Amino acid sequence: MLKRINLKQVRVGMFIEAIEGHWIDHPFWRNQFRLDRARDVEKLKSSNAAAVVIDTDKGLDVVSPSATKESAAAPKNPSLKRALETIEQSKPLITEMFENARMGGAVPVSHAAQAVRHIAICMQQSSRALIEVTRLKSRDEYTFLHSIAVSGLMVHLARAVDLDEETVRDVGMGGLLHDIGKMRIPLKVLNKVGPLSDEEMDQIRLHPRHGYELLARQGGVSRVILDICLHHHESIDGRGYPKGLAGSEISVPVRICSICDVYDALTSARAYKKAWSPTDAARFMLEQEGRFDRRLLMQFFHSLNL
Ligand SMILES: [Fe+2]
């Protein structure tokens, strides 16, 4: 599990996954390594790095069990601070929506509107920080951080292609809710680390329909959001699911979601895989002939300065 910790909490035996800050702020030439020597611990503690991210699956954890991301040092970088605040403000809103969906209750969609307001403001001022911070996802935080990341990226791309602000809001809400149907899938299937059986894969592939049905049933949810929930795994060449839609049958908000969803999954660190660099993710996505809207994909990478 990845954990962002205070420099004071660093100790011998930890595996450093990332050092937060500019490379000139610390004396280490690589970012990922095991801290084996006491003098390296001292060097790190006395450096100007803002914080570090450790991988507790590969090395020791912090001494105090209460040491979590929330208790880490306040970041020096104001953009990073704003990004972390945005996540903290959005967390209870998103968690409640997802929990209600899991329990079969009504989803408080107004929470998504509230969270998108925070995310959209943050994407205007600190887009890079929010994108970077949400790439570090521990297993228990994955669903909600993925939702925030996809929402933020979708808002960013929707603005880059000049969609009107009302659609930008709906697109952002769609990003938060696109995978809500996964809450109806048994946790043992959803959290399985090894390869999935055909039957388990079929269950996972039902999540767009589950999400659509959940939101359509309760009413008052915009067409754009419903469309994103149901179709975000469709492919321009017609090889996606659930309906195998192709080309112009797939709306622009849905195309935006497909791009941002895959990009965030590729660039995120998971317990079982390293995060791909943005450039590697871009190269891979460009190689997927027929999967994405090519023009939007280029605009997306351009908007991220890739
Ligand atoms: Fe999905």
Side-chain angles (χ1 to χ4, degrees):
M1 178 175 153
L2 296 177
K3 229 179 223 186
R4 180 173 180 273
I5 64 164
N6 195 312
L7 285 188
K8 285 188 214 136
Q9 296 170 304
V10 169
R11 62 183 177 129
V12 169
M14 284 178 162
F15 186 88
I16 305 295
E17 183 68 27
I19 300 176
E20 202 176 275
H22 198 273
W23 60 272
I24 55 169
D25 290 335
H26 62 80
F28 301 96
W29 59 273
R30 38 189 195 153
N31 256 348
Q32 292 165 338
F33 59 98
R34 198 184 155 89
L35 264 180
D36 287 326
R37 297 183 305 184
R39 70 164 186 251
D40 284 342
V41 172
E42 288 318 308
K43 271 195 217 167
L44 194 50
K45 282 184 173 175
S46 57
S47 73
N48 287 321
V52 295
V53 176
I54 56 166
D55 187 339
T56 56
D57 294 328
K58 296 181 191 163
L60 291 180
D61 201 343
V62 285
V63 176
S64 156
S66 63
T68 62
K69 187 164 84 175
E70 285 73 23
S71 66
K76 293 170 187 170
N77 175 337
S79 285
L80 186 59
K81 187 164 175 277
R82 209 171 293 128
L84 290 172
E85 278 167 6
T86 301
I87 291 171
E88 286 313 304
Q89 287 164 332
S90 308
K91 188 172 184 172
L93 299 167
I94 298 170
T95 307
E96 196 182 333
M97 287 194 298
F98 280 46
E99 280 313 307
N100 280 25
R102 192 184 296 287
M103 306 306 281
V107 178
V109 176
S110 61
H111 284 16
Q114 242 178 297
V116 165
R117 263 195 292 280
H118 298 309
I119 294 166
I121 291 170
C122 189
M123 288 304 288
Q124 266 171 337
Q125 301 160 338
S126 318
S127 59
R128 189 170 285 271
L130 188 61
I131 293 167
E132 282 305 310
V133 158
T134 53
R135 284 176 66 191
L136 301 165
K137 300 175 177 69
S138 62
R139 185 164 149 168
D140 51 339
E141 288 177 319
Y142 184 82
T143 309
F144 114 86
L145 281 177
H146 176 63
S147 302
I148 292 183
V150 173
S151 175
L153 290 167
M154 287 178 73
V155 164
H156 199 58
L157 179 52
R159 281 179 175 153
V161 297
D162 288 330
L163 297 188
D164 63 85
E165 270 303 303
E166 198 183 327
T167 312
V168 170
R169 187 204 57 202
D170 280 359
V171 159
M173 287 172 70
L176 286 178
L177 294 164
H178 74 285
D179 267 348
I180 197 147
K182 283 192 177 168
M183 296 299 114
R184 310 309 300 273
I185 294 170
L187 282 174
K188 69 174 194 323
V189 177
L190 204 57
N191 292 337
K192 190 172 170 185
V193 175
L196 297 172
S197 67
D198 288 351
E199 196 189 317
E200 289 166 337
M201 191 59 91
D202 288 344
Q203 278 183 284
I204 298 265
R205 287 161 69 103
L206 283 175
H207 78 271
R209 282 197 194 279
H210 286 325
Y212 173 83
E213 281 161 15
L214 198 69
L215 297 178
R217 201 174 53 214
Q218 68 181 60
V221 180
S222 81
R223 176 57 39 200
V224 170
I225 298 172
L226 293 175
D227 201 23
I228 288 172
C229 271
L230 184 57
H231 297 306
H232 65 276
H233 287 287
E234 299 288 1
S235 178
I236 295 292
D237 59 10
R239 293 161 71 167
Y241 66 93
K243 292 191 179 168
L245 300 184
S248 60
E249 291 175 313
I250 305 171
S251 70
V252 171
V254 169
R255 295 170 187 221
I256 289 177
C257 186
S258 306
I259 291 172
C260 300
D261 187 21
V262 172
Y263 177 80
D264 182 64
L266 291 175
T267 55
S268 295
R270 302 295 306 269
Y272 53 87
K273 87 163 193 31
K274 279 210 167 128
W276 288 24
S277 73
T279 348
D280 284 348
R283 195 175 302 121
F284 174 82
M285 289 175 78
L286 284 167
E287 283 166 5
Q288 306 305 300
E289 205 62 49
R291 171 73 179 87
F292 305 105
D293 178 318
R294 197 85 184 166
R295 195 175 61 90
L296 275 177
L297 194 59
M298 298 308 291
Q299 284 168 309
F300 178 61
F301 297 139
H302 187 252
S303 75
L304 296 178
N305 290 325
L306 290 177

